[in-house]
């Protein structure tokens, strides 16, 4: 008899699957906010109607917030990207639709929450390691998509479901929310637009954002995402 470690999907699924498209009723139950996951609290469902708690204003409302607030939100977004990519359960939760409207900010604690739990791809990295599909252990770098539309993302579900090391979430957050490539409702420049003079002069923030969104070095996004999280944390501590 083989005893498996705890699997959060068993709350809603009796059988394990390697990869599947989520929908609103699954994630809030399998990865509940009470346990630190960045999703709205699940209250109940009737048919295809799902009830979750109100989590606050959409991220877009903070586009022109004071610099200190935007830096904190950006750090939280990068932390979410890391948590969904690497966690103790070895589930990768890939965000397939990333825009300012798909995140909200708590009115009391200022915590960033994912409000669109429908467009998330869940991959079981333990099963990928067990099944060993072709190139399963080769690091995968998402391709930058410089399209003429808002909130563009380029991805392959087949690849996301067959690799254990993927930079998709870093790419999605940096390209569509934080970097100069982010466009939404006629704006450009991303959440970290117009930084203070001392930050602009330093140049490191722009360099890390560019490498995170559109890396020039092999596996550059993995390193840039880590350094960006650390740099944003440093900025917060200086404020």
């Amino acid at each position: 008899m083989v005893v498996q470690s705890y699997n959060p999907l068993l709350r809603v699924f009796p059988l394990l699957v390697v990869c599947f498209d989520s929908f609103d009723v699954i994630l809030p139950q399998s990865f509940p906010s009470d346990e630190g996951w960045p999703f709205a609290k699940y209250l109940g469902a009737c048919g295809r109607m799902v009830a979750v708690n109100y989590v606050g204003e959409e991220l877009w409302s903070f586009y022109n917030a004071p610099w200190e607030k935007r830096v904190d939100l950006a750090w939280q977004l990068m932390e979410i990207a890391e948590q969904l990519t690497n966690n103790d359960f070895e589930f990768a939760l890939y965000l397939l639709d990333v825009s300012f409207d798909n995140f909200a900010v708590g009115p009391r604690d200022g915590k960033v929450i994912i409000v669109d739990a429908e467009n998330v791809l869940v991959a079981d990295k333990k099963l990928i390691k067990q099944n060993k599909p072709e190139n399963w252990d080769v690091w995968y770098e998402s391709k930058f998509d410089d399209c003429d539309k808002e909130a563009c993302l380029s991805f392959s579900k087949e690849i996301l479901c067959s690799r254990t090391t993927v930079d998709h979430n870093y790419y999605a957050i940096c390209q569509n929310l934080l970097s100069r490539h982010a466009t939404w409702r006629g704006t450009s420049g991303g959440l970290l637009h117009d930084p203070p003079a001392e930050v602009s002069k330093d140049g490191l923030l722009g360099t890390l954002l560019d490498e995170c969104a559109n890396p020039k070095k092999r596996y550059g996004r993995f390193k840039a995402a880590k350094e960006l999280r650390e740099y944003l944390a440093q900025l917060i501590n200086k404020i």
Side-chain angles (χ1 to χ4, degrees):
M1 177 178 178
V2 177
V3 179
Q4 294 183 332
S5 59
Y6 171 69
N7 186 329
L9 290 181
L10 291 179
R11 289 170 171 157
V12 290
F13 282 134
L15 298 176
L16 291 179
V17 291
V18 174
C19 197
F20 70 93
D21 286 300
S22 179
F23 47 91
D24 286 335
V25 71
I26 292 180
L27 284 188
Q29 295 181 82
S30 301
F31 304 93
S33 60
D34 293 344
E35 297 179 9
W37 293 96
F39 301 105
K41 183 178 179 61
Y42 176 80
L43 300 179
C46 181
R48 294 188 62 84
M49 296 295 295
V50 178
V52 296
N53 69 318
Y54 172 73
V55 293
E57 294 184 80
E58 61 187 23
L59 182 63
W60 173 248
S61 300
F62 296 84
Y63 184 81
N64 288 315
W67 172 250
E68 295 83 358
K69 181 64 175 179
R70 289 186 283 129
V71 169
D72 176 68
L73 296 176
W75 173 77
Q76 289 190 59
L77 287 165
M78 290 303 296
E79 287 292 305
I80 287 174
E82 175 64 19
Q83 179 185 16
L84 299 186
T85 302
N86 299 301
N87 52 71
D88 292 339
F89 298 114
E90 289 199 72
F91 277 95
L93 286 68
Y94 298 117
L95 304 173
L96 305 185
D97 184 8
V98 175
S99 73
F100 283 89
D101 289 351
N102 289 339
F103 296 82
V105 180
R108 296 182 179 179
D109 57 10
K111 185 177 179 180
V112 176
I113 294 294
I114 299 169
V115 294
D116 178 15
E118 181 176 0
N119 295 295
V120 177
L121 189 70
V122 181
D124 187 335
K125 292 197 284 188
K126 285 185 179 179
L127 287 184
I128 294 174
K129 292 176 183 178
Q130 177 181 315
N131 295 338
K132 293 181 171 57
E134 183 179 3
N135 295 322
W136 68 273
D137 57 349
V138 177
W139 289 22
Y140 179 72
E141 299 178 279
S142 301
K143 296 180 180 179
F144 173 73
D145 191 351
D146 190 15
C147 71
D148 57 357
K149 298 180 181 180
E150 295 181 331
C152 289
L153 284 179
S154 175
F155 57 85
S156 164
K157 290 184 179 181
E158 180 180 357
I159 292 178
L160 296 180
C161 291
S162 60
R163 304 289 182 96
T164 55
T165 306
V166 179
D167 65 2
H168 174 84
N169 286 330
Y170 313 135
Y171 150 69
I173 295 295
C174 286
Q175 176 175 296
N176 283 8
L177 298 179
L178 303 185
S179 74
R180 61 187 176 89
H181 302 286
T183 58
W184 191 248
R185 299 188 185 180
T187 67
S188 61
L191 186 64
L192 295 174
H193 64 87
D194 300 316
E198 61 271 18
V199 176
S200 296
K201 184 178 180 180
D202 175 80
L204 183 56
L205 178 61
T207 299
L208 292 175
L209 287 172
D210 282 346
E211 188 68 8
C212 184
N214 187 15
K216 301 300 187 293
K217 301 176 182 178
R218 187 182 186 189
Y219 303 138
R221 185 179 285 119
F222 291 97
K223 181 180 179 182
K226 179 179 182 297
E227 293 181 356
L228 179 58
R229 297 199 329 270
E230 295 171 350
Y231 182 73
L232 291 172
Q234 292 174 11
L235 289 180
I236 293 173
N237 290 332
K238 291 179 180 179
I239 295 174

